[in-house]
Amino acid sequence: MSTALSLLDLAQIAPGQSARDSFDNSVALARAAERSGYQRVWYAEHHNMASIASSATSVLIGHVAAHTDTIRLGSGGIMLPNHSPLVIAEQFGTLETLFPGRIDLGLGRAPGSDQKTMLALRRNASSADSFPQDVLELQGYLSGHSRISGVQAVPRAEGIVPLYILGSSLFGAQLAAQLGLPYAFASHFAPDALHQAVAVYRDTFRPSEQLAEPYVMAALNVFAAEDRADALEQKKIAWRNRARMFIKRGAADVDYSDAEIDAFLGSPNGRQLASMTQYTAAGTPAEVVAYLDDFAADLAADELILAHSALQIDDRVRSVELTGAAMAAADREPAVG
């Protein structure tokens, strides 16, 4: 594919389903991505969220890796201030040893949770301040050049575990550029600083051992279906569910009707929530590919990370397959002129 496609699996626990169902769904999605030409699948670390099952991110990566053959798998991302760099180096050294050449390590500095959960994780408000130093410490463990005298990560894989910096602001862009690492922007839910962050990353990039030139990845939401109306309905249902989960964080015992959710989404607060998913492709495979092509060209993105967000797993799997096939077919079309 001219622009590489990857998958962000949010490991959704749909209404009426269990965490075990979510893990089975993650395997199904990864297998679909593998046979559809995607480069990698990433899982995000979230805590205390009843609708997301990827809190033990490295464990989920290992489970899916054991049920797939070739696709790369990794974190998008591990929230490093929640952990000691040594522990993460041990986890990902283990994964790379078990599944050589298939493991990525994307890193973020957000808590992936609310304030109370942050305290339960034994994290304090200043944890994020040491993120750059923690990345360097982790990098040292993974490369066998520990910055802590007398301390090594065991096991340390023979292969390389590539690092990626994730972000939704200029901070991550500047750090990725300074360290010479690939940069992935979370534009699927935080679109505002996308273009500015990518520009800062490219303008200030310094080559490193891992990467000679800037490598830009950007995330967006996708709903692809054979029928455009079906894709739009999937999007409506998914965004209603998202809004319902958002509202219920402050009113867990209240059930809201679809009409009430639609009214909220039309309010100023609801419009603000809806604006977070500004970058969303929904429609037929051809329409989705046209959107992806325009989005990638606008950023000169090297790779797109797609969050196929339909509520039902069959719809998500089909969206993955349709998008991959349509992108591959578009790449095979001869140039005009």
Side-chain angles (χ1 to χ4, degrees):
M1 297 179 183
S2 54
T3 303
L5 294 186
S6 292
L7 175 64
L8 175 64
D9 179 5
L10 295 175
Q12 302 174 55
I13 304 176
Q17 292 196 331
S18 67
R20 178 68 219 203
D21 294 327
S22 174
F23 299 146
D24 292 343
N25 293 345
S26 288
V27 169
L29 280 171
R31 287 174 171 167
E34 187 171 70
R35 62 179 176 263
S36 300
Y38 287 61
Q39 299 295 308
R40 68 190 91 244
V41 184
W42 279 0
Y43 307 92
E45 177 188 345
H46 291 286
H47 299 281
N48 196 30
M49 294 187 181
S51 61
I52 297 179
S54 52
S55 54
T57 315
S58 59
V59 178
L60 180 56
I61 292 168
H63 173 68
V64 178
H67 290 82
T68 50
D69 297 315
T70 58
I71 196 163
R72 297 191 66 90
L73 299 159
S75 58
I78 289 291
M79 301 298 107
L80 190 55
N82 292 343
H83 313 273
S84 77
L86 177 60
V87 168
I88 296 304
E90 291 168 343
Q91 291 176 2
F92 280 77
T94 299
L95 286 169
E96 175 63 26
T97 299
L98 290 170
F99 307 102
R102 297 183 58 201
I103 302 300
D104 300 331
L105 178 48
L107 301 167
R109 65 175 183 140
S113 62
D114 55 52
Q115 292 297 312
K116 288 183 178 179
T117 309
M118 186 178 77
L119 294 175
L121 288 165
R122 303 299 188 264
R123 173 176 172 163
N124 61 56
S126 63
S127 298
D129 296 343
S130 63
F131 181 62
Q133 293 75 29
D134 289 346
V135 173
L136 290 172
E137 183 182 337
L138 173 60
Q139 194 172 44
Y141 292 134
L142 290 170
S143 65
H145 300 95
S146 174
R147 292 171 173 260
I148 308 299
S149 178
V151 179
Q152 300 292 332
V154 180
R156 185 178 75 82
E158 293 182 8
I160 295 171
V161 179
L163 299 185
Y164 300 77
I165 299 297
L166 280 58
S168 57
S169 68
L170 301 188
F171 178 90
Q174 292 165 338
L175 180 62
Q178 179 183 345
L179 298 181
L181 296 175
Y183 180 53
F185 194 91
S187 36
H188 63 300
F189 75 91
D192 293 347
L194 171 61
H195 289 84
Q196 186 180 5
V198 168
V200 166
Y201 170 66
R202 286 203 174 100
D203 290 345
T204 59
F205 180 84
R206 301 177 185 174
S208 69
E209 235 179 272
Q210 179 176 328
L211 194 63
E213 296 179 347
Y215 192 86
V216 172
M217 308 165 75
L220 67 162
N221 304 287
V222 172
F223 299 85
E226 286 92 344
D227 179 71
R228 184 172 189 272
D230 187 16
L232 295 179
E233 183 66 16
Q234 290 175 26
K235 182 178 78 166
K236 180 190 293 185
I237 292 170
W239 291 166
R240 273 181 184 159
N241 185 67
R242 181 173 177 271
R244 188 173 276 113
M245 293 299 102
F246 178 83
I247 295 171
K248 291 188 74 167
R249 288 184 190 177
D253 296 329
V254 181
D255 288 323
Y256 295 93
S257 68
D258 287 348
E260 289 172 322
I261 294 296
D262 289 344
F264 168 74
L265 289 172
S267 71
N269 285 339
R271 284 193 293 272
Q272 183 177 1
L273 179 64
S275 71
M276 293 168 65
T277 54
Q278 171 185 341
Y279 294 119
T280 297
T284 64
E287 291 171 326
V288 165
V289 167
Y291 187 102
L292 298 183
D293 283 344
D294 288 346
F295 180 82
D298 182 48
L299 286 175
D302 299 288
E303 187 169 333
L304 300 181
I305 309 171
L306 309 185
H308 293 268
S309 301
L311 207 57
Q312 300 301 319
I313 181 58
D314 290 346
D315 292 331
R316 292 205 299 280
V317 167
R318 192 65 182 134
S319 184
V320 167
E321 294 172 336
L322 290 171
T323 302
M327 185 68 85
D331 284 345
R332 290 194 297 268
E333 290 179 1
V336 178

